[in-house]
Amino acid sequence: MHIVDGVLGPPVLIGASLLAVAGVARGLSALDTESIPRAGLLTAVFFIASLVHVPIGPSSAHLMLTGLMGLLLGWAAFPAVLVGLLLQAAFFGFGGLTVIGANTLNLALPAVLIGLLARHVLARFDISPRSATLLVAGFFVGALSFGASALSVAGVLALSGSEFLAAARLILIVQIPVMLVEGAITAATLRLLLTVRPELLPAVAGDRLFATEHTQEA
Amino acid sequence: MQIVDALSDRTGHGPLRALDPRLRIAAAALFALVVVSLSDRVALLTALGLAIALMLAARLPAVPTLRRMAAMDGFMLAILLMLPFTVPGTPIFAWGGFSASAQGLAKAVEILLKANAVVLVLLALVGSLDAVTLGHALARLRMPANLVQLLFFTVRYIGVIGEEYARLRTAMRARGFRPSNSLHTYRSIGYLLGMLLVRSLERSERILAAMRCRGFQGRFYPLDDFAYGRADALFAGLALMTFACLLIVDRVHVTAV
């Protein structure tokens, strides 16, 4: 869901960019020398994941997995999304330049909010990696952040002009099956990750994924 | 690998090769801002013409680059196709009970011209750089050091992880996996990506250990020596004049209409 240059009106463009800058700054403050390699590797995985096309009905869609980014990276999902979009725009010609703030915001904000919410849920309940509960949690993380991103895209379009309203509505309907698939794949991804590395579950839930190295040293 | 190719230096030997990367980024950004603010058809067509000229000057392969430029989300395409029917105005043709307006069509064309001109200039000026050079140039342009380092790590490992992904996909194919509309497909792809995450997290621990053992203190030293020379000043001057012309043409035409 890349918006291209020339669609959004100036007030929307500026407002979204400012919010994106704030989110990126918040995310960067959570990263330090020790955690940047880990965040960079995760960003690379998510970049590769965004090139994977899965069949959906007669067509196919590419994955986003932004919900999982929010869960694993927290606020660092903002700079991670920005880096991904920058590379996609400059080297692959996807998206645009003046809209990069708006696109970052549309993808990262829902991801971070839902990811942080999911961390609370995971911290509160004792969930085993192979349980159905974890699958359900993963499904909702993936589906909801995808759905919220689609809503957010529709929102900035609608704010830019009423002529986009019909298109925005159509997008929301068309994206529903993609959202479900995104949820299913997120659930499977999370299950495999936590089954192989169960010690990550408390780290993710307690926002310590980027601090484990410190605690080992201490 | 295709991804790695795209991220490495593809400037060739065009006249743009010697341009300071910082200038390329600044010029592309300014061009984008100018183009987005235009509304006159002539000015926009001129901008697209300039973009194509830059692409040729950058010696980018024309056909793949143009295809890349034109590739748009199906989603964006749907929006543009609906515009003629949702913008009120003089009807030009009717289709299935909906009438398309000239104003809507004009708006769709305007967006197409803007989006393609910006993407093409971005590919020509910035996309032809090495991704690492881009990072250094962004660092010199005061992008936060953390963000630049994140970019470096991402760029460095996209290729590695991409290859790992391709290997796992080959292994799946060897076992008879065929993607289809099934829960089995979604689960298998999810497990595949989960495995990539597991491996990349383990790799990141090894990388961190290796960096620590070499006394990494959180700073990369830019090896590129960017020199802003006479050719750069000339390009900058030309670019600024062109942008001014575009804006003037736009103003004059808009007030004339």
Side-chain angles (χ1 to χ4, degrees):
Chain A
M1 286 184 286
H2 295 100
I3 298 178
V4 298
D5 284 307
V7 176
L8 301 181
V12 181
L13 217 51
I14 293 166
S17 300
L18 288 178
L19 286 174
V21 167
V24 170
R26 175 84 174 73
L28 287 178
S29 71
L31 291 178
D32 61 11
T33 309
E34 302 271 303
S35 56
I36 285 176
R38 181 171 282 192
L41 269 276
L42 288 180
T43 308
V45 174
F46 287 113
F47 188 92
I48 296 293
S50 75
L51 302 174
V52 176
H53 279 257
V54 287
I56 295 178
S59 163
S60 78
H62 75 91
L63 294 173
M64 302 214 306
L65 296 192
T66 46
L68 204 54
M69 286 180 96
L71 180 61
L72 296 181
L73 290 161
W75 282 98
F78 258 99
V81 167
L82 176 62
V83 164
L85 290 177
L86 195 66
L87 293 176
Q88 286 194 341
F91 296 100
F92 298 93
F94 295 141
L97 198 53
T98 60
V99 280
I100 206 160
N103 282 336
T104 304
L105 186 73
N106 287 337
L107 294 180
L109 188 63
V112 170
L113 295 181
I114 287 161
L116 293 182
L117 188 72
R119 282 179 175 181
H120 275 289
V121 173
L122 291 179
R124 174 154 308 177
F125 301 101
D126 187 25
I127 297 172
S128 98
R130 294 204 63 105
S131 64
T133 326
L134 185 80
L135 279 181
V136 173
F139 176 82
F140 277 110
V141 165
L144 286 182
S145 40
F146 185 91
S149 284
L151 261 180
S152 178
V153 170
V156 292
L157 284 175
L159 279 176
S160 294
S162 55
E163 67 268 25
F164 294 119
L165 214 55
R169 225 174 271 145
L170 180 78
I171 286 155
L172 287 179
I173 297 166
V174 171
Q175 298 292 343
I176 289 174
V178 190
M179 177 176 121
L180 299 178
V181 169
E182 182 88 11
I185 291 180
T186 305
T189 310
L190 191 63
R191 167 184 245 184
L192 188 121
L193 176 65
L194 296 179
T195 306
V196 180
R197 298 279 303 269
E199 78 280 5
L200 286 177
L201 182 55
V204 168
D207 194 15
R208 277 180 288 109
L209 183 60
F210 285 96
T212 38
E213 303 292 335
H214 292 299
T215 43
Q216 274 171 11
E217 265 182 327
Chain B
M1 211 174 142
Q2 211 186 348
I3 310 168
V4 181
D5 283 351
L7 294 177
S8 52
D9 193 347
R10 295 174 304 155
T11 333
H13 298 283
L16 293 183
R17 188 174 177 72
L19 277 189
D20 190 320
R22 292 168 295 181
L23 177 64
R24 294 183 186 210
I25 298 170
L30 202 57
F31 180 81
L33 286 177
V34 168
V35 166
V36 167
S37 76
L38 300 176
S39 52
D40 172 58
R41 185 86 50 84
V42 175
L44 282 172
L45 279 172
T46 316
L48 187 64
L50 281 169
I52 292 173
L54 266 182
M55 175 195 81
L56 295 176
R59 300 280 156 86
L60 288 178
V63 175
T65 309
L66 289 176
R67 197 179 296 143
R68 204 166 257 178
M69 168 197 85
M72 240 185 229
D73 279 4
F75 142 79
M76 232 32 249
L77 227 51
I79 292 183
L80 292 183
L81 286 177
M82 284 177 77
L83 269 179
F85 301 99
T86 53
V87 177
T90 352
I92 38 172
F93 68 93
W95 181 69
F98 297 99
S99 71
S101 71
Q103 284 82 348
L105 189 64
K107 175 92 180 165
V109 169
E110 181 188 322
I111 291 175
L112 261 182
L113 287 174
K114 284 181 183 180
N116 285 330
V118 173
V119 162
L120 202 50
V121 163
L122 194 60
L123 285 173
L125 286 180
V126 183
S128 54
L129 288 171
D130 189 275
V132 176
T133 312
L134 170 66
H136 285 315
L138 286 172
R140 297 285 182 86
L141 290 170
R142 302 285 161 84
M143 188 153 124
N146 271 359
L147 191 54
V148 174
Q149 284 189 19
L150 187 69
L151 179 79
F152 282 151
F153 275 104
T154 308
V155 166
R156 166 68 182 84
Y157 288 101
I158 278 177
V160 174
I161 291 166
E163 276 168 17
E164 207 146 79
Y165 168 75
R167 267 200 299 279
L168 289 169
R169 253 338 253 267
T170 310
M172 285 167 78
R173 208 175 316 127
R175 286 160 182 74
F177 173 75
R178 269 239 206 94
S180 67
N181 276 296
S182 64
L183 216 48
H184 172 72
T185 300
Y186 304 146
R187 185 172 50 219
S188 307
I189 289 180
Y191 284 176
L192 161 66
L193 296 172
M195 205 60 222
L196 277 187
L197 284 174
V198 169
R199 292 188 183 178
S200 68
L201 284 173
E202 282 165 2
R203 191 185 290 275
S204 77
E205 279 150 30
R206 294 198 297 275
I207 293 165
L208 187 58
M211 286 168 60
R212 269 215 206 105
C213 128
R214 287 162 180 79
F216 184 64
Q217 286 191 321
R219 228 196 118 191
F220 286 135
Y221 296 88
L223 301 174
D224 302 76
D225 257 340
F226 299 143
Y228 189 82
R230 197 171 294 166
D232 296 308
L234 185 69
F235 181 84
L238 272 175
L240 284 178
M241 256 160 30
T242 318
F243 296 161
C245 288
L246 281 176
L247 288 172
I248 290 167
V249 168
D250 191 56
R251 276 308 111 74
V252 171
H253 272 248
V254 167
T255 43
V257 172

